[in-house]
Coordinates of all heavy atoms in Angstrom, one line a residue:
I1 N 25.9 -4.6 19.3 CA 26.1 -5.6 18.3 C 27.4 -6.3 18.6 O 28.4 -5.7 18.5 CB 26.0 -5.1 16.9 CG1 24.8 -4.2 16.7 CG2 25.9 -6.2 15.9 CD1 23.4 -4.8 17.0
H2 N 27.4 -7.6 18.7 CA 28.6 -8.4 19.0 C 28.5 -9.7 18.3 O 27.5 -10.2 17.9 CB 28.9 -8.4 20.5 CG 27.9 -9.2 21.2 ND1 27.9 -10.6 21.3 CD2 26.8 -8.8 21.9 CE1 26.8 -11.0 22.0 NE2 26.1 -9.9 22.4
H3 N 29.6 -10.4 18.3 CA 29.7 -11.8 17.8 C 30.3 -12.7 18.9 O 31.1 -13.6 18.6 CB 30.5 -11.8 16.5 CG 30.3 -13.0 15.7 ND1 30.9 -14.2 15.9 CD2 29.4 -13.2 14.7 CE1 30.5 -15.1 15.0 NE2 29.5 -14.5 14.2
E4 N 29.9 -12.5 20.1 CA 30.4 -13.3 21.2 C 29.5 -14.4 21.6 O 28.3 -14.5 21.2 CB 30.6 -12.3 22.4 CG 31.5 -11.1 22.2 CD 31.4 -10.1 23.2 OE1 30.6 -10.3 24.2 OE2 32.0 -9.0 23.1
E5 N 30.0 -15.4 22.3 CA 29.2 -16.5 22.8 C 28.7 -16.1 24.2 O 29.4 -15.4 25.0 CB 30.1 -17.7 22.9 CG 30.6 -18.2 21.6 CD 29.5 -18.7 20.6 OE1 28.4 -18.9 21.1 OE2 29.7 -18.7 19.4
P6 N 27.6 -16.6 24.7 CA 26.7 -17.5 23.9 C 25.9 -16.7 22.9 O 25.6 -15.6 23.1 CB 25.8 -18.2 25.0 CG 25.7 -17.1 26.1 CD 27.1 -16.4 26.1
F7 N 25.5 -17.4 21.8 CA 24.6 -16.8 20.8 C 23.3 -16.5 21.5 O 22.7 -17.4 22.2 CB 24.5 -17.8 19.7 CG 23.6 -17.3 18.6 CD1 23.7 -16.1 18.0 CD2 22.6 -18.2 18.1 CE1 22.8 -15.7 17.0 CE2 21.8 -17.8 17.0 CZ 21.9 -16.6 16.5
D8 N 22.7 -15.3 21.2 CA 21.4 -15.0 21.9 C 20.2 -15.2 20.9 O 19.1 -14.8 21.2 CB 21.5 -13.5 22.4 CG 21.7 -12.5 21.2 OD1 21.8 -12.9 20.1 OD2 21.8 -11.3 21.6
G9 N 20.5 -15.7 19.7 CA 19.4 -16.0 18.8 C 19.1 -14.9 17.8 O 18.3 -15.1 16.9
H10 N 19.8 -13.7 18.0 CA 19.5 -12.6 17.1 C 20.4 -12.6 15.9 O 21.6 -12.4 16.0 CB 19.7 -11.3 17.8 CG 18.7 -11.0 18.9 ND1 18.7 -9.8 19.6 CD2 17.8 -11.8 19.4 CE1 17.7 -9.9 20.5 NE2 17.1 -11.1 20.4
F11 N 19.9 -12.9 14.7 CA 20.6 -12.8 13.5 C 20.6 -11.4 12.9 O 21.5 -10.9 12.2 CB 20.0 -13.7 12.4 CG 20.3 -15.2 12.7 CD1 19.3 -16.0 13.1 CD2 21.5 -15.7 12.4 CE1 19.5 -17.4 13.4 CE2 21.8 -17.1 12.7 CZ 20.8 -17.9 13.1
W12 N 19.5 -10.7 13.1 CA 19.2 -9.4 12.4 C 18.9 -8.3 13.4 O 18.3 -8.5 14.5 CB 17.9 -9.6 11.5 CG 18.1 -10.7 10.5 CD1 17.7 -12.0 10.6 CD2 18.7 -10.6 9.2 NE1 17.9 -12.7 9.5 CE2 18.6 -11.8 8.6 CE3 19.3 -9.5 8.5 CZ2 19.1 -12.1 7.3 CZ3 19.7 -9.7 7.3 CH2 19.6 -11.0 6.7
Y13 N 19.3 -7.1 13.0 CA 18.9 -5.8 13.6 C 18.4 -4.9 12.5 O 19.1 -4.5 11.7 CB 20.0 -5.2 14.4 CG 20.3 -6.0 15.7 CD1 21.3 -7.0 15.7 CD2 19.6 -5.7 16.9 CE1 21.5 -7.7 16.8 CE2 19.9 -6.5 18.0 CZ 20.8 -7.4 18.0 OH 21.1 -8.2 19.1
F14 N 17.1 -4.6 12.6 CA 16.4 -3.9 11.5 C 16.2 -2.4 11.8 O 16.2 -2.0 13.0 CB 15.0 -4.5 11.3 CG 15.0 -5.9 10.8 CD1 14.9 -7.0 11.7 CD2 15.2 -6.3 9.5 CE1 14.9 -8.3 11.3 CE2 15.2 -7.6 9.1 CZ 15.1 -8.6 10.0
Q15 N 16.0 -1.7 10.8 CA 15.6 -0.3 10.8 C 14.3 -0.1 10.1 O 13.9 -1.0 9.3 CB 16.7 0.6 10.2 CG 18.0 0.7 11.0 CD 17.9 1.3 12.4 OE1 17.0 2.2 12.6 NE2 18.7 0.9 13.3
P16 N 13.5 0.9 10.2 CA 12.3 1.1 9.5 C 12.4 0.9 8.0 O 11.6 0.2 7.4 CB 11.8 2.5 9.9 CG 12.4 2.7 11.2 CD 13.7 2.0 11.2
K17 N 13.5 1.5 7.4 CA 13.7 1.3 6.0 C 13.9 -0.1 5.6 O 13.5 -0.6 4.5 CB 14.9 2.2 5.5 CG 15.0 2.2 4.0 CD 16.1 3.2 3.5 CE 16.2 3.1 2.0 NZ 17.2 4.1 1.4
S18 N 14.7 -0.9 6.4 CA 14.9 -2.3 6.1 C 13.6 -3.1 6.1 O 13.4 -4.0 5.3 CB 16.0 -2.9 7.0 OG 15.7 -2.7 8.3
I19 N 12.7 -2.8 7.1 CA 11.4 -3.5 7.1 C 10.6 -3.1 5.9 O 10.0 -4.0 5.3 CB 10.7 -3.1 8.5 CG1 11.4 -3.7 9.7 CG2 9.3 -3.6 8.4 CD1 11.5 -5.2 9.7
E20 N 10.6 -1.9 5.6 CA 9.9 -1.4 4.4 C 10.3 -2.1 3.1 O 9.5 -2.6 2.3 CB 10.0 0.1 4.2 CG 9.1 0.7 3.2 CD 9.2 2.2 3.2 OE1 10.3 2.8 3.5 OE2 8.2 2.9 2.9
E21 N 11.6 -2.3 3.0 CA 12.2 -2.9 1.8 C 11.9 -4.4 1.8 O 11.6 -5.0 0.8 CB 13.7 -2.7 1.8 CG 14.1 -1.3 1.4 CD 13.9 -0.9 0.0 OE1 13.7 -1.8 -0.8 OE2 13.9 0.3 -0.3
L22 N 12.1 -5.0 3.0 CA 11.9 -6.5 3.1 C 10.5 -6.9 2.7 O 10.3 -7.9 2.0 CB 12.2 -7.0 4.5 CG 12.0 -8.4 4.9 CD1 12.8 -9.3 4.0 CD2 12.2 -8.7 6.3
F23 N 9.5 -6.1 3.1 CA 8.1 -6.5 2.9 C 7.5 -5.9 1.7 O 6.3 -6.1 1.4 CB 7.3 -6.1 4.2 CG 7.5 -7.0 5.4 CD1 8.5 -6.7 6.3 CD2 6.7 -8.1 5.6 CE1 8.7 -7.5 7.4 CE2 6.8 -8.9 6.7 CZ 7.8 -8.6 7.6
K24 N 8.3 -5.2 0.9 CA 7.8 -4.5 -0.3 C 7.1 -5.4 -1.2 O 7.6 -6.5 -1.5 CB 8.9 -3.8 -1.0 CG 8.5 -2.9 -2.2 CD 9.7 -2.3 -2.9 CE 10.5 -1.3 -2.0 NZ 11.6 -0.7 -2.8
G25 N 5.9 -5.0 -1.7 CA 5.1 -5.8 -2.6 C 4.2 -6.8 -1.9 O 3.3 -7.4 -2.6
Q26 N 4.4 -7.0 -0.6 CA 3.6 -8.0 0.1 C 2.8 -7.2 1.2 O 1.6 -7.4 1.4 CB 4.4 -9.0 0.8 CG 5.4 -9.8 -0.2 CD 4.6 -10.7 -1.0 OE1 3.5 -11.2 -0.7 NE2 5.2 -11.1 -2.2
F27 N 3.5 -6.4 2.0 CA 2.8 -5.6 3.0 C 3.4 -4.1 2.9 O 4.5 -3.9 2.5 CB 3.2 -6.1 4.4 CG 2.5 -7.4 4.8 CD1 3.1 -8.6 4.4 CD2 1.4 -7.5 5.5 CE1 2.5 -9.8 4.7 CE2 0.8 -8.7 5.8 CZ 1.4 -9.8 5.4
K28 N 2.5 -3.2 3.3 CA 3.0 -1.8 3.3 C 3.2 -1.4 4.8 O 2.3 -1.6 5.6 CB 1.9 -0.9 2.7 CG 2.3 0.6 2.7 CD 1.2 1.5 2.1 CE 1.6 2.9 2.1 NZ 0.6 3.8 1.4
L29 N 4.3 -0.8 5.1 CA 4.6 -0.2 6.4 C 3.8 1.1 6.6 O 4.1 2.1 5.9 CB 6.1 0.0 6.6 CG 6.6 0.6 7.9 CD1 6.3 -0.4 9.0 CD2 8.1 0.9 7.8
V30 N 2.8 1.0 7.4 CA 1.9 2.2 7.6 C 2.3 3.1 8.8 O 2.0 4.2 8.9 CB 0.4 1.8 7.7 CG1 0.0 1.2 6.4 CG2 0.2 0.8 8.9
E31 N 3.0 2.5 9.8 CA 3.4 3.2 11.0 C 4.5 2.5 11.7 O 4.5 1.2 11.7 CB 2.3 3.5 11.9 CG 2.7 4.4 13.1 CD 1.5 4.8 14.0 OE1 0.4 4.3 13.8 OE2 1.8 5.6 15.0
Y32 N 5.4 3.2 12.3 CA 6.4 2.6 13.1 C 6.8 3.6 14.2 O 6.6 4.8 14.1 CB 7.7 2.2 12.4 CG 8.5 3.4 11.8 CD1 9.5 4.0 12.5 CD2 8.3 3.8 10.5 CE1 10.2 5.1 12.0 CE2 9.0 4.9 10.0 CZ 9.9 5.5 10.7 OH 10.6 6.6 10.2
F33 N 7.2 3.1 15.3 CA 7.6 4.0 16.4 C 8.6 3.2 17.3 O 8.6 2.0 17.4 CB 6.4 4.5 17.2 CG 5.4 3.5 17.6 CD1 5.5 2.7 18.7 CD2 4.3 3.3 16.7 CE1 4.5 1.8 19.0 CE2 3.3 2.4 17.0 CZ 3.4 1.6 18.2
H34 N 9.4 4.0 18.0 CA 10.4 3.5 18.9 C 9.9 3.5 20.4 O 9.2 4.4 20.8 CB 11.7 4.3 18.9 CG 12.4 4.3 17.5 ND1 11.9 5.0 16.5 CD2 13.4 3.6 17.1 CE1 12.7 4.8 15.4 NE2 13.6 3.9 15.8
L35 N 10.2 2.4 21.1 CA 9.9 2.3 22.5 C 11.1 2.2 23.3 O 12.1 1.5 22.9 CB 8.9 1.2 22.8 CG 7.6 1.3 22.1 CD1 6.8 0.0 22.4 CD2 6.8 2.5 22.6
G36 N 11.2 2.7 24.5 CA 12.3 2.7 25.4 C 12.5 1.3 26.1 O 11.6 0.5 26.0
P37 N 13.6 1.1 26.8 CA 13.8 -0.1 27.5 C 12.6 -0.4 28.5 O 12.1 0.5 29.1 CB 15.1 0.1 28.2 CG 15.8 1.2 27.4 CD 14.7 2.0 26.9
R38 N 12.3 -1.7 28.6 CA 11.3 -2.1 29.6 C 9.9 -1.6 29.3 O 9.0 -1.6 30.2 CB 11.7 -1.8 31.0 CG 13.0 -2.6 31.5 CD 13.5 -2.2 32.8 NE 14.0 -0.8 32.8 CZ 15.2 -0.5 32.4 NH1 16.0 -1.4 31.9 NH2 15.6 0.8 32.4
M39 N 9.6 -1.1 28.1 CA 8.3 -0.8 27.7 C 7.5 -2.0 27.2 O 6.4 -2.4 27.6 CB 8.3 0.3 26.6 CG 8.6 1.7 27.2 SD 7.4 2.3 28.2 CE 6.0 2.6 27.1
V40 N 8.2 -2.7 26.2 CA 7.7 -4.0 25.7 C 8.7 -5.1 25.8 O 8.4 -6.2 26.1 CB 7.2 -3.8 24.2 CG1 6.8 -5.2 23.6 CG2 6.1 -2.8 24.1

């Protein structure tokens, strides 16, 4: 995480709990998993 130029377009870095909180009342987080580099 840095604040250097050039800006890469990323405002946010989420965790599962932050996604759960953000979507609360609209969507339910039913599964999450981590993938390593160059998987997706």
